[in-house]
Amino acid sequence: MTGTHAVFDVVSPGLQTLVQDYPGRRGLQSKGFFPAGPMDHLSFRIANSLVGNDPGAAALEIPMGRLTLRVLAETSIAVTGAEGSGITLNRAPVPLWETVPVVPGDEIACSIIKGPGFRVYLAVAGGIDVPVVLGSRATYTMGGIGGVEGRALTKGDVLHGYPGPSPTRLRVPTSLRPGLANDWEVEVMRGPHADPDFLTEQDWKDLLASNWKVDLNSNRVGTRLNARRFQWARPSGGVAGGHPSNVLDGSYPIGGINTNGDVPVILGPDGPTAGGFTVIGTVVQAGLWKIGQLRPGRDTIRFREVPLEEALALSARIDYTTDPRHYEEL
């Protein structure tokens, strides 16, 4: 790999550690590709900013923890995301949300993440070098492309990175760090298939008033919630099918609350691009990072409807948080 050098030897790969970049493969949904990229784009972008990278540079997404890396080059790293991850450097605790220098022979390890939160992100100065596929380095698990051979890391993988000057050591102020929880408020906008044509007015009110349990069978494709029987505003899907949640096949938005019968599923970055079920609401871009930190089988969600103006303001706040000019110098 010309211009790059080996930075990490994978000693223990964890559950499903993936190389991702942000925003992934935009513009390919019509060809059947959701963009992939990090589940929690906020923590991912902050990690990159802490090591002097472009916020979208390729880095590691680590769900549940249990990752061990051996350092092969002098560089700097940053770890962000879920709490209780037990990140260590040579068995000594490593603080999250700040730049950490490492040297060859060091060992970075992450135990099982206790939370709150479910994923941590590890960025290295210069970024991780894997082949660009369809304009992105992101691992798309449904299509088996991007990242390291389109798959999760395995023991013995060697990750390469780009050399560069040592970044300024930075720390994210506590006031700018994402607030993690076990019971989450997630911002949504209604539709494209909401009331009054698909849901009743009461259905929409119930969607916002309910506490939704995150099902254990949740992943990057979709975050499955507990089943709930809606009243529905129509008796059936007509020509699309017998159940009122059926619609003629159409495209799906990322973060769409896809309702198959009475089971809502929040579509993730590796989700299906189209299908024949209603999307009764959509998580706004600035709220998507929270979906990446939901712990399957434990956490709950309460949806909050926001207007377009607030959704845009929340996105601007996210962009402010990922700007290293607002961090503290160590």
Side-chain angles (χ1 to χ4, degrees):
M1 296 186 181
T2 304
T4 67
H5 58 257
V7 289
F8 298 131
D9 177 22
V10 179
V11 178
S12 178
L15 179 67
Q16 193 191 35
T17 302
L18 301 170
V19 177
Q20 296 293 351
D21 68 6
Y22 179 81
R25 290 176 190 83
R26 289 278 176 90
L28 295 177
Q29 188 166 341
S30 64
K31 295 177 173 59
F33 293 95
F34 254 15
M39 285 284 290
D40 173 1
H41 66 84
L42 177 53
S43 295
F44 182 93
R45 293 159 69 188
I46 290 174
N48 270 315
S49 294
L50 283 167
V51 292
N53 295 346
D54 179 275
L60 296 181
E61 175 177 89
I62 310 163
M64 279 292 288
R66 305 179 76 172
L67 173 74
T68 302
L69 302 173
R70 183 172 296 110
V71 178
L72 303 176
E74 184 173 356
T75 186
S76 294
I77 65 166
V79 182
T80 60
E83 298 176 5
S85 57
I87 289 281
T88 60
L89 179 63
N90 302 325
R91 300 187 179 180
V94 170
L96 273 65
W97 309 104
E98 67 179 61
T99 315
V100 177
V102 294
V103 296
D106 283 349
E107 187 173 87
I108 304 164
C110 176
S111 61
I112 295 177
I113 296 169
K114 297 180 176 63
F118 185 66
R119 291 175 171 86
V120 294
Y121 293 87
L122 190 155
V124 59
I128 294 173
D129 178 39
V130 291
V132 175
V133 180
L134 298 176
S136 171
R137 303 179 195 274
T139 310
Y140 179 49
T141 60
M142 288 285 283
I145 62 172
V148 178
E149 300 174 354
R151 57 169 172 78
L153 299 188
T154 60
K155 182 177 180 180
D157 282 339
V158 175
L159 300 178
H160 288 71
Y162 295 92
S166 297
T168 301
R169 291 193 64 189
L170 300 172
R171 177 190 294 126
V172 180
T174 303
S175 61
L176 292 183
R177 299 177 189 181
L180 301 172
N182 298 132
D183 303 301
W184 298 81
E185 179 182 86
V186 175
E187 299 84 1
V188 298
M189 296 179 69
R190 68 178 66 196
H193 307 119
D195 62 319
D197 296 326
F198 298 90
L199 297 179
T200 66
E201 182 180 356
Q202 188 60 48
D203 281 334
W204 181 255
K205 290 179 179 178
D206 290 345
L207 177 77
L208 300 180
S210 299
N211 288 320
W212 298 91
K213 182 73 176 290
V214 178
D215 191 89
L216 194 60
N217 295 310
S218 298
N219 52 34
R220 288 179 51 85
V221 174
T223 298
R224 185 183 177 99
L225 306 179
N226 59 279
R228 185 191 185 283
R229 189 167 295 279
F230 292 101
Q231 297 177 31
W232 297 101
R234 55 186 191 157
S236 75
V239 295
H243 194 276
S245 67
N246 294 134
V247 294
L248 293 176
D249 280 17
S251 62
Y252 288 153
I254 300 168
I257 305 170
N258 184 230
T259 307
N260 177 349
D262 298 305
V263 179
V265 178
I266 303 171
L267 300 176
D270 290 0
T273 58
F277 295 103
T278 52
V279 177
I280 59 177
T282 304
V283 177
V284 303
Q285 195 271 347
L288 285 175
W289 73 267
K290 299 177 182 180
I291 307 307
Q293 293 297 352
L294 297 174
R295 194 176 190 92
R298 185 188 70 186
D299 288 3
T300 64
I301 296 176
R302 196 177 181 99
F303 294 114
R304 180 172 72 88
E305 185 177 12
V306 297
L308 176 60
E309 293 75 13
E310 184 175 352
L312 294 173
L314 289 169
S315 287
R317 175 66 178 177
I318 292 281
D319 292 340
Y320 180 95
T321 303
T322 62
D323 188 337
R325 292 176 295 179
H326 305 130
Y327 301 165
E328 301 165 348
E329 190 168 333
L330 295 174

